[in-house]
Amino acid sequence: MINNSVDYNCNEITTHTADTSELATNTGKIHQYSITTLSAKAISSYLNDQIINSIETRVHHNDISFLNKITNSTVVKISHFPGIIFKFCDNDQYLQARISIQKLAKSIVAEKKFTRLTIPEADVRNLNNKKVYDSTMVIIENELKILKGNQQQLLQHYANNEKSLKDAVIQMAEFICLTDLNDIKPENLPLIVDTQTNMINFALVDLELVANRPLFEGLFGSEYKWGEQAYGLIRYFPKYTNDIIKVIKNTLPKDFIEHFSNKLSAATLKADRIISREQDIKKFYTTHATTANTSAIPETLNNIILADIKIALTSLGGQQIVNYRGLRKTPTEQTIIEIIKDINMVISTQTKVWHNIIHAREWRFTMDYYTQDSNYRHYICNNFLFIKNVLIPILKKYNLVHSILTYAEACKLDIHVLRKQLHSHDLIIQF
């Protein structure tokens, strides 16, 4: 097993044809440079004092795009060298560790015939400039044409291509066991398309062994830690839990496995809960003839819903609903209609990005003004308790809602891992 703190990068090939409409916008332009043609002299001659200072201090420069600046290395793209990723390390020892483990990882991929994992070509250039991080060396890599996006979009790529990634997940599980790779998350493990087969695969990008983080976190993930969280392979692909556990048992020593046998059991139970819930939702949709195009709240029910709301408010003894600001104000009929429109808009929008109907019809009900899950005009937040205590129960009465999950319940089902980080006051409403 590898014990040095370093970097990986990998790519794969699946038995699935990629979504070409999605890939067309992500594959990018043809590389103008490669590590085989980029000399140390060319790099040195371009890195003037201003650019070097920007990299050293990690501050904005028009010619530089920072890909990572929170670890022991600063990962950047320099506009003058398209197609190349530069990794400036804090010290030579760290640089040597990163490049050595990358070479070792490539040898493992080749030896094990991990055709679903690709590591970008990388090399070291010795620069003629002593100002770069007290070192004259920099790692250069050929940029991979990954499916890019923010965290939520990367998770969507995972979910939308889950069925085609089974073999990739199995190979990745063995790779983790052989290398102790322990920082598994979409930013480090995006998807990529093999240009020869048009299959969608994994790409290991800028991964390293995080100090003081045990191997099992690469497989099972960690819950709550200071700084960035590593959620682990098994938590992103719970449907392949049994396959991953089989790899673990066939790869790692038995006495080592015994140390975290409880995690094997916990992962299996969690996967069973997730799969069972999704099966129940599918049954609910079948019973009510729900499709991806079905409105969350049909407009034809608006008058009935408004009437029920009046009855509900009357049953409360005419009490007004306290909103999150502590103001006592019952929403107007027009506001209620706008809330319904907003919910329908969110569900309709999500069907365009989530291929799985279960993900598409999941409404994140939040007080957060800045969430991308909805336009969330102020009336959503201002009437949070009204929506939670009056509107949602009425919608559930008419079988428009399958379930309501609190933050804690959603976390037990890893929805905060599989979709997007939640806030403690959020509810997950399954329409």
Side-chain angles (χ1 to χ4, degrees):
M1 294 182 184
I2 297 172
N3 294 313
N4 296 324
S5 181
V6 194
D7 232 30
Y8 294 86
N9 287 292
C10 290
N11 173 27
E12 309 193 348
I13 302 170
T14 304
T15 56
H16 171 70
T17 300
D19 183 342
T20 54
S21 62
E22 188 173 59
L23 305 183
T25 60
N26 284 281
T27 51
K29 59 186 177 183
I30 298 175
H31 292 167
Q32 296 180 33
Y33 280 88
S34 73
I35 65 170
T36 57
T37 61
L38 184 56
S39 67
K41 182 178 180 180
I43 301 172
S44 298
S45 63
Y46 185 76
L47 294 180
N48 58 41
D49 289 346
Q50 189 178 28
I51 293 177
I52 291 172
N53 182 66
S54 176
I55 294 172
E56 286 182 334
T57 57
R58 300 180 176 183
V59 297
H60 172 75
H61 188 285
N62 289 336
D63 293 339
I64 298 174
S65 298
F66 288 94
L67 304 182
N68 187 348
K69 53 182 180 179
I70 60 173
T71 62
N72 291 330
S73 64
T74 303
V75 184
V76 302
K77 291 174 63 177
I78 301 175
S79 60
H80 187 70
F81 302 108
I84 298 293
I85 302 295
F86 295 83
K87 297 180 179 179
F88 294 88
C89 299
D90 287 352
N91 56 70
D92 287 349
Q93 183 179 2
Y94 185 72
L95 179 145
Q96 294 294 347
R98 288 177 71 93
I99 197 68
S100 63
I101 199 170
Q102 190 161 7
K103 290 179 179 179
L104 178 57
K106 284 185 72 69
S107 69
I108 290 174
V109 167
E111 178 186 351
K112 289 290 185 177
K113 294 182 172 58
F114 288 153
T115 57
R116 304 297 303 279
L117 306 178
T118 297
I119 301 175
E121 294 298 324
D123 204 351
V124 175
R125 293 290 181 268
N126 195 338
L127 307 181
N128 297 319
N129 193 317
K130 298 291 186 180
K131 293 185 178 181
V132 183
Y133 285 89
D134 299 324
S135 169
T136 59
M137 294 189 293
V138 60
I139 298 174
I140 61 173
E141 289 183 359
N142 286 339
E143 183 180 9
L144 295 179
K145 300 177 181 181
I146 62 172
L147 299 187
K148 300 178 181 180
N150 57 33
Q151 185 186 58
Q152 185 175 21
Q153 290 168 329
L154 294 174
L155 289 171
Q156 288 167 0
H157 294 325
Y158 274 14
N160 292 343
N161 295 282
E162 182 182 46
K163 291 182 180 179
S164 68
L165 288 171
K166 180 177 179 179
D167 291 341
V169 171
I170 291 173
Q171 289 186 11
M172 192 65 222
E174 186 174 356
F175 185 83
I176 292 171
C177 291
L178 293 173
T179 62
D180 287 4
L181 194 63
N182 57 14
D183 194 23
I184 300 298
K185 52 189 177 185
E187 296 91 328
N188 294 338
L189 195 65
L191 299 182
I192 191 170
V193 177
D194 184 87
T195 55
Q196 295 182 340
T197 63
N198 200 34
M199 294 177 178
I200 193 164
N201 317 298
F202 281 135
L204 272 73
V205 181
D206 286 333
L207 295 186
E208 61 180 301
L209 298 181
V210 178
N212 302 317
R213 182 180 286 172
L215 159 67
F216 67 76
E217 291 193 7
L219 296 165
F220 305 106
S222 62
E223 284 292 345
Y224 305 104
K225 285 196 169 185
W226 181 87
E228 290 190 3
Q229 297 174 344
Y231 283 122
L233 186 69
I234 208 166
R235 298 182 70 185
Y236 288 113
F237 299 96
K239 291 182 180 178
Y240 298 134
T241 295
N242 292 335
D243 298 289
I244 295 173
I245 290 177
K246 182 178 179 180
V247 169
I248 293 172
K249 291 182 176 180
N250 290 337
T251 308
L252 296 176
K254 290 184 179 179
D255 57 342
F256 185 78
I257 295 175
E258 290 177 358
H259 288 8
F260 56 91
S261 59
N262 60 322
K263 292 189 176 295
L264 295 176
S265 300
T268 301
L269 289 174
K270 178 172 284 189
D272 287 344
R273 286 199 302 270
I274 293 171
I275 294 170
S276 176
R277 176 175 180 267
E278 292 195 357
Q279 289 174 339
D280 190 64
I281 293 173
K282 289 179 180 178
K283 183 178 179 181
F284 177 82
Y285 289 163
T286 300
T287 301
H288 298 95
T290 302
T291 69
N293 296 322
T294 303
S295 295
I297 308 171
E299 188 176 347
T300 54
L301 290 180
N302 281 359
N303 290 335
I304 297 175
I305 291 171
L306 290 171
D308 277 9
I309 288 173
K310 291 180 180 179
I311 294 173
L313 293 176
T314 300
S315 68
L316 292 174
Q319 295 179 12
Q320 295 173 314
I321 304 299
V322 180
N323 67 17
Y324 86 111
R325 291 176 176 172
L327 303 176
R328 295 184 176 276
K329 183 179 180 182
T330 303
T332 65
E333 185 173 300
Q334 183 58 39
T335 297
I336 296 170
I337 295 298
E338 290 300 318
I339 291 171
I340 291 173
K341 286 181 180 179
D342 187 76
I343 294 173
N344 282 331
M345 180 277 296
V346 174
I347 301 301
S348 176
T349 301
Q350 290 181 169
T351 58
K352 299 174 183 177
V353 295
W354 295 100
H355 296 177
N356 188 327
I357 186 175
I358 294 174
H359 301 170
R361 297 184 67 82
E362 182 180 278
W363 186 54
R364 180 186 173 200
F365 178 33
T366 179
M367 291 185 186
D368 184 5
Y369 279 126
Y370 304 103
T371 180
Q372 295 179 3
D373 297 351
S374 167
N375 59 358
Y376 278 94
R377 287 159 285 189
H378 286 248
Y379 53 71
I380 292 287
C381 186
N382 288 347
N383 294 285
F384 188 89
L385 293 180
F386 163 78
I387 296 171
K388 175 184 176 181
N389 298 327
V390 178
L391 179 60
I392 297 301
I394 289 174
L395 298 180
K396 200 170 190 310
K397 166 187 170 182
Y398 290 106
N399 290 319
L400 298 176
V401 171
H402 168 270
S403 54
I404 305 167
L405 300 177
T406 63
Y407 170 82
E409 292 167 336
C411 288
K412 287 181 180 178
L413 293 165
D414 270 352
I415 289 177
H416 66 311
V417 175
L418 298 170
R419 316 283 196 277
K420 184 180 179 182
Q421 192 68 39
L422 301 174
H423 299 295
S424 59
H425 54 260
D426 290 355
L427 296 176
I428 297 296
I429 315 296
Q430 190 71 44
F431 282 94

